[in-house]
Amino acid sequence: MLIVVVSLKTKYFWTALDVGIIAALPEEIMFRGVIMGWILEKITRFKQTYVNVSIALGISGVVFGCFHYINLLHQSFGFTTLQVMNAVGLGMILGAIYVKSGSLLIPIATHFIWDFVVTLKQGMPETNYMAVNGQDIFMEFIILAIQASIAIWIVCFHFENNLLLQKIDKK
């Protein structure tokens, strides 16, 4: 909330607020609440292991990332692919936060802050047809590996304290 209040007079405040709200709430309900929740229930039905949960994080992250190909309507394929790769990693982290906390509110808030800050900084470009080179792709793979590692660490750290898994186990 402090970030929102402090940035009230910035150039892209209203755009950032719109993007934060419009993206975070429905995307988290759909990709974490519905899709990842369903995958977790199916994949951990017989045994809850960090491998099964990591697979669910990966699948839901890829689905979330691929959803961002909708941005091809106003961006180049290369730039959109970099964005998709980043969304896969961020989706895995948001999924891990959901698994750990057992509540969609924390990933919704995290997603809102992410989108709000990114949009606040640069606004929403009307079009982005920049060229992407091999170094950009290589760096995005490194970032994705780091994001995936963070997500898996969140889930594996005190695995028994993953509140979403406890809720699923009680069903």
Side-chain angles (χ1 to χ4, degrees):
M1 204 61 184
L2 181 61
I3 294 170
V4 173
V5 172
V6 169
S7 59
L8 233 137
K9 296 192 182 226
T10 60
K11 181 178 180 179
Y12 298 114
F13 173 79
W14 293 107
T15 303
L17 189 63
D18 287 348
V19 170
I21 293 169
I22 290 170
L25 186 63
E27 286 182 4
E28 289 310 306
I29 290 170
M30 174 58 99
F31 292 102
R32 254 55 71 196
V34 175
I35 294 172
M36 194 176 120
W38 182 82
I39 293 169
L40 267 176
E41 281 187 28
K42 298 304 177 199
I43 205 165
T44 63
R45 181 182 312 157
F46 302 109
K47 187 166 183 164
Q48 292 183 351
T49 67
Y50 67 91
V51 172
N52 289 349
V53 176
S54 297
I55 291 168
L57 287 176
I59 293 169
S60 67
V62 168
V63 172
F64 176 67
C66 288
F67 170 75
H68 287 78
Y69 272 116
I70 195 168
N71 293 330
L72 282 171
L73 296 171
H74 59 88
Q75 297 176 165
S76 67
F77 180 78
F79 185 81
T80 303
T81 299
L82 292 179
Q83 187 179 39
V84 165
M85 291 171 68
N86 189 47
V88 169
L90 180 62
M92 290 180 71
I93 290 172
L94 292 168
I97 291 169
Y98 179 42
V99 169
K100 187 59 80 176
S101 70
S103 169
L104 271 177
L105 293 178
I106 298 171
I108 288 170
T110 305
H111 192 155
F112 169 82
I113 291 167
W114 179 271
D115 286 348
F116 180 81
V117 170
V118 168
T119 307
L120 189 66
K121 180 182 171 198
Q122 62 197 29
M124 289 293 291
E126 288 185 27
T127 59
N128 193 338
Y129 288 99
M130 68 178 236
V132 174
N133 61 40
Q135 184 178 355
D136 294 332
I137 295 169
F138 177 75
M139 286 307 297
E140 195 57 49
F141 270 114
I142 298 295
I143 292 167
L144 176 57
I146 292 168
Q147 290 170 316
S149 299
I150 290 168
I152 292 168
W153 179 84
I154 289 170
V155 167
C156 291
F157 184 74
H158 294 292
F159 185 75
E160 67 281 357
N161 293 338
N162 288 315
L163 297 179
L164 183 60
L165 296 180
Q166 291 173 13
K167 289 178 182 180
I168 290 172
D169 200 29
K170 288 180 184 176
K171 284 187 176 182

